[in-house]
């Protein structure tokens, strides 16, 4: 049984949109064109702000050294040290598990996290892990 993640945009330029994908997969959120989920309308979002990983039955999020931090249910889970010198080594904060019903905030963009078990029909091919060239935002219909 696979896990399916839906991010429902509650605020920001993507408000009202839903982004659904099934693991195993990864998704980088940020302003950069290389991100799987672009947040281009918010200048406070870092180019590569945070990473969502889906492995087995779990889903995790990790801040990627963003300037303004990533929050789960109002709690900051990571942010770049503003006093860090440019040649210092960046120590990434640990990843945090996402639960069904959590609220993920990336600057002015708030997403409702919806997790569900997804039984894939036998005649449906299993999609390849997400990469930069695939459009993972297409909804996946489950069993």
């Amino acid at each position: 049984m696979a896990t399916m993640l839906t991010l429902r945009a509650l605020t920001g330029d993507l408000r009202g949109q839903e982004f659904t994908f099934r693991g195993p997969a990864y998704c980088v959120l940020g302003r950069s064109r290389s991100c799987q989920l672009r947040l281009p309308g918010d200048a406070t979002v870092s180019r590569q702000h945070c990473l969502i990983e889906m492995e087995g039955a779990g889903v995790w999020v990790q801040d990627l050294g963003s300037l303004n931090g990533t929050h789960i249910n109002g709690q900051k889970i990571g942010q770049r040290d503003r006093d860090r010198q440019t040649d210092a080594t960046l120590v990434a904060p640990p990843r945090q598990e996402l639960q069904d019903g959590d609220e993920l905030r990336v600057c002015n963009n708030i997403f409702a996290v919806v997790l569900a078990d997804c039984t894939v029909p036998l005649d449906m091919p299993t999609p390849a892990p997400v990469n930069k060239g695939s459009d993972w935002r297409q909804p996946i219909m489950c069993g």
Side-chain angles (χ1 to χ4, degrees), residues 50-52 59-63 70 72 77 95-96 98 104:
C50 65
L51 169 69
I52 294 177
V59 180
W60 291 269
V61 63
Q62 181 177 21
D63 187 84
T70 302
I72 299 175
I77 63 160
R95 65 186 189 167
Q96 302 288 318
L98 285 173
L104 174 65

Side-chain angles (χ1 to χ4, degrees), residues 31 39 41-47 49 66-69 106-109:
R31 284 190 344 257
L39 306 171
D42 185 348
T44 63
V45 174
S46 294
R47 286 178 292 221
H49 198 98
S66 69
L67 186 60
N68 293 306
V106 177
C107 298
N108 297 316
N109 301 275

Side-chain angles (χ1 to χ4, degrees), residues 26-32 34-37 45-53 60-71 76-81 84 89-96 104-106:
Y26 74 91
C27 174
V28 176
L29 284 73
R31 284 190 344 257
S32 173
S34 68
C35 292
Q36 286 77 29
L37 180 50
V45 174
S46 294
R47 286 178 292 221
Q48 293 187 334
H49 198 98
C50 65
L51 169 69
I52 294 177
E53 296 177 280
W60 291 269
V61 63
Q62 181 177 21
D63 187 84
L64 296 175
S66 69
L67 186 60
N68 293 306
T70 302
H71 297 77
K76 187 178 290 184
I77 63 160
Q79 177 179 8
R80 176 180 3 169
D81 181 1
R84 183 177 68 90
T89 301
L90 174 66
V91 177
R95 65 186 189 167
Q96 302 288 318
L104 174 65
R105 182 165 65 90
V106 177

